[in-house]
Amino acid sequence: MIAYAARRLVWALLTAFAASIVAFLLFWSIPNVDPAYFLGGAEHGTNETRARATEVYGLDDPLPVQYVRLMKEILNGNVECFYGCGSLRSAFIEALPVTFSLVAGAFLLAIGTGVTLAGICVRHLGRWQDRLITAAAAAAYSIPSLVLAAVLWGFLSHKWGLFPADGYVGLTDNPFQWFWHLLLPWIAAAVPFAGAYVHVVRASLLQAVDEDWVRTARAKGLSEKRIIRRHVLRNGLIPPISIWGLDFSHAFGGFALYVEVIFGLPGVGLLTADTLGGLDLPPIVGLAIYLSLVVVLTSAIIDVIVAWLDPRIRGSGLPS
């Protein structure tokens, strides 16, 4: 298990390194655009700021030298911004707990709802409960989080004032206000995922129900409820865990962006939107690097958890 975890960590670091190269080349190699234009604050900049950007980032040097210089500044938190950025690393560290609270809460809600409803479907397979839940799950999955977030904010927060329209309260400052400020964002982000997870978990559980050890449990006289709760769920949830891990890690650069913007949550998504609005290239690349580190490390942790639950995975080599 330790050897597998070490291999997975090395793979994650290599992936983050490759992502940093892609992010660098993506912005430094824009056709017919001088990097000094964006490095100097784009249309917000001046000839002086562009000259300063050329000097600071050594735009006359070879690309590998420029890459190493920029990565050092990003990892050290010394990114020099030309349009009101401040300390990028400090801003990211301050915003990350907000985004983590949003993503973790949304996925706990989505997974709990999906697993519960999928269990009901399996217990009542082919009956009206199963058909109703699967139909509702398909409808929920078809609703974009962006649209749902805008509707919930527009009516429940802005128009009727039932929930906070913006802002964030830390968990340690006031647990109830923390929960109250995040409830609508959680629902907006969780509903489509919950709909998808109902189908994924239902299919996995149905596959587990057909296993020989389930038939043996039934032959021993165990109740159907106990079989599903203590045997089928334990083994049937292993495949969906990989999907949850991928969704969780990619959510930091996915729904977190627009949900935070709509609800005014001062997280990584809102920080990214503000940075993009400033068109200052170094913090944009820096945020891409920071987010890639979060994504690959989270994916690595999830893979290790799955390998711990299912020992067969440990001997399969490096994850794909």
Side-chain angles (χ1 to χ4, degrees):
M1 187 65 217
I2 296 177
Y4 176 87
R7 293 198 306 270
R8 187 61 185 88
L9 178 60
V10 171
W11 187 256
L13 294 177
L14 291 175
T15 303
F17 173 68
S20 69
I21 295 177
V22 171
F24 173 80
L25 293 178
L26 181 64
F27 291 102
W28 254 251
S29 302
I30 301 175
N32 301 321
V33 176
D34 184 0
Y37 174 76
F38 287 108
L39 286 171
E43 66 262 20
H44 304 292
T46 63
N47 291 332
E48 289 74 16
T49 60
R50 295 185 182 106
R52 173 64 178 160
T54 302
E55 177 185 354
V56 170
Y57 293 97
L59 299 181
D60 297 328
D61 295 331
L63 280 179
V65 177
Q66 297 181 44
Y67 168 80
V68 172
R69 180 184 293 110
L70 181 63
M71 291 305 112
K72 284 182 178 180
E73 292 190 357
I74 290 174
L75 296 178
N76 292 333
N78 298 323
V79 176
E80 182 167 346
C81 306
F82 296 91
Y83 187 67
C85 168
S87 174
L88 179 64
R89 186 173 64 179
S90 299
F92 183 82
I93 293 175
E94 183 178 350
L96 188 59
V98 181
T99 302
F100 183 82
S101 297
L102 170 63
V103 173
F107 271 90
L108 286 176
L109 180 59
I111 292 171
T113 303
V115 171
T116 301
L117 295 179
I120 295 175
C121 289
V122 173
R123 287 183 58 192
H124 302 279
L125 186 63
R127 302 175 186 173
W128 67 268
Q129 297 96 328
D130 180 28
R131 293 193 294 270
L132 177 62
I133 291 175
T134 52
Y141 177 67
S142 65
I143 302 175
S145 294
L146 174 61
V147 175
L148 184 58
V151 170
L152 291 177
W153 180 86
F155 285 95
L156 298 183
S157 295
H158 180 69
K159 184 175 181 179
W160 296 331
L162 301 178
F163 293 87
D166 55 23
Y168 174 80
V169 177
L171 175 61
T172 56
D173 297 330
N174 189 321
F176 176 76
Q177 287 298 323
W178 171 83
F179 172 84
W180 197 241
H181 278 76
L182 287 172
L183 181 57
L184 281 188
W186 284 341
I187 295 174
V191 167
F193 284 99
Y197 293 159
V198 168
H199 292 280
V200 171
V201 176
R202 179 180 180 274
S204 183
L205 294 182
L206 288 178
Q207 183 178 1
V209 165
D210 290 334
E211 297 291 340
D212 292 337
W213 46 266
V214 174
R215 300 188 185 96
T216 303
R218 288 197 181 103
K220 292 181 178 179
L222 297 179
S223 65
E224 194 70 16
K225 184 177 181 180
R226 184 178 181 184
I227 291 174
I228 293 176
R229 186 178 67 250
R230 300 192 59 181
H231 299 280
V232 174
L233 279 176
R234 181 178 301 175
N235 293 274
L237 290 182
I238 291 178
I241 288 177
S242 298
I243 299 176
W244 296 338
L246 290 173
D247 289 341
F248 183 87
S249 59
H250 288 289
F252 285 90
F255 69 74
L257 175 61
Y258 51 80
V259 170
E260 288 180 1
V261 171
I262 291 174
F263 287 97
L265 298 174
V268 177
L270 188 59
L271 176 63
T272 302
D274 292 340
T275 304
L276 290 173
L279 289 178
D280 203 1
L281 195 54
I284 294 176
V285 178
L287 282 175
I289 302 303
Y290 292 154
L291 284 173
S292 68
L293 285 173
V294 171
V295 169
V296 298
L297 290 178
T298 304
S299 298
I301 293 172
I302 295 297
D303 284 342
V304 171
I305 293 175
V306 173
W308 176 70
L309 293 172
D310 189 355
R312 295 173 297 179
I313 299 177
R314 304 173 198 171
S316 60
L318 287 175
S320 60

